[in-house]
Amino acid sequence: MPELHQLSVAELARQLRERKVSALETAQHFLGRMAAHRDLAAFVAVDEDVTLAQARTADAALTAGSAGPLAGVPIAHKDIFVTKDFPSTAGSRMLAGYRSPFDATVVRRLTEAGAVTLGKLSCDEFAMGSANESVAVPAVGHKAPAAVRNPWDRRRVAGGSSGGSAAAVAARLAPAATGTDTGGSIRQPASFCGLTGIKPTYGRASRYGMIAYASSLDQAGPMARSAEDCALLLSALCGPDLDRDSTSLDVPVEDYSRKLNESLDGLRIGIPKEFFGAGLAADVRSAIDTALREYEKLGAKLVEISLPRTELAIPVYYIIAPAEASSNLSRFDGVKFGHRAAQYADLIDMYKKTRAEGFGDEVKRRIMIGTYVLSHGYYDAYYLQAQKIRRMIADDFQEAFKRCDVIAGPVAPTVAWKLGDKSEDPVAAYLADIYTLPGSLAGLPGMSLPVGFGEGHMPVGLQLIGNHLQEAKLLNMAHRYQQATDFHLRTPEGY
Ligand code: GLN
């Protein structure tokens, strides 16, 4: 009989429904695991009383037969979602100790489906980063802020910015977690930690209560072991939220579990040649090639396509995202939210000291870049140009989708790197986002699924990108692959 933390979300939900296990003992089991693996620095907030009370509520609903589809399933949330029962910090000193009066829509939807909240997960400050090293609040059980560690090799990064989510699920401290993806922050940590994660179409999940980084790009999504589990979670967390998020899509949500088993016969998979250039490490390429051959065996056809502006996605993203961030983060001024400097001479001095103390280096760097590209005299040269190229990148995808049904390639050029390797060189980290940024700029759904191992026996993820609202197709593709392989079931040693 497998232990509770080895069960998938689907299996755990079934056992809970059949009352083979209670929500309370499930929650206790995971709280115990979280306490035993604090060295990973995955959690930044836990509250046993809240978690156990939610578990009791789930048990009551299960007994009464009024339970939602995720009743009693423990889930942890990236600390970029505001929660009324746990502090919400976005990994920043600016929000240390902040409590929201309400739950983010994504959190509310999962709670309404019966999920039990295990706690809040570490992330890069305001979701800016690719390694979860740029975090300014201490993890549970730590005195000082600490980088999240990768359970496959604790000397390596878990990826970012949803690194806490990835480490927690990979180490089986939670059956699943939420993440957010602005330029790759669900897909890349999923890839680095051997998980399955999906970023839906822009507008598919509500951004209400998600602390904003770059509003035209931010999207929420699930991270779990399998596509089947992601489908369950995605069905629960997505949907229109028109009164609260003006970019929410007015399209009814699908049951993403329904099409998981469809045949892939005749499916045309586009392989962008720009995703296989000199920057792609040989170990990653070989795992991706093997996965693509598996898809051929499953009946799919590979078609070479071109996304000619792939390289431009990096400068375009690193202009648009900081521009939006500089505007979004202006609300942290010592008056409306969070931290205020203890000593100051006048109002302007209060703003300056508050922001100097509250924000970390990477956040300051992006606020400065963003302010610069939006300033009079540089707006046309940088911001406007970037917007035009963003449109061209989106058009390139539509051109490509005339020849293929989905696009596949690597998530990142390498496996997870060693802690500290890129922390002094922000541009090196930005360059590693090359394969995830184009889809983000085009607002397309994208996912990562584990397809093998590279250097140092570190997981490699395959990225699938679909056209707008094609989440079900991506999950179907991932599920069929996972029926034929077992990479998604592998567990890092010691967990
Ligand atoms: N690594 C990218 C960045 O630093 C993406 C982050 C994200 O998706 N939140 O902005």
Side-chain angles (χ1 to χ4, degrees), residues 127-130 161 180-185 213 317-318 366 433:
M128 300 175 186
S130 312
S161 61
T180 62
D181 190 311
T182 302
S185 284
Y213 161 20
Y317 173 88
Y318 280 99
R366 296 196 191 194
D433 291 339

Side-chain angles (χ1 to χ4, degrees), residues 296-352:
E296 287 183 311
K297 282 193 226 149
L298 291 169
K301 284 191 193 52
L302 307 184
V303 216
E304 188 181 279
I305 58 158
S306 174
L307 294 170
R309 293 174 185 87
T310 297
E311 279 188 13
L312 285 177
I314 299 171
V316 166
Y317 173 88
Y318 280 99
I319 288 171
I320 291 175
E324 295 184 18
S326 72
S327 168
N328 275 324
L329 271 55
S330 67
R331 76 192 66 178
F332 300 104
D333 58 1
V335 179
K336 299 189 215 57
F337 292 98
H339 177 74
R340 177 187 290 184
Q343 283 173 357
Y344 46 87
D346 54 25
L347 181 66
I348 299 296
D349 192 44
M350 189 278 282
Y351 288 154
K352 284 185 183 165

Side-chain angles (χ1 to χ4, degrees), residues 255-269:
D255 173 358
Y256 294 110
S257 304
R258 225 166 36 89
K259 295 183 184 162
L260 286 175
N261 286 310
E262 278 184 6
S263 158
L264 303 184
D265 224 16
L267 184 82
R268 298 166 305 161
I269 304 181

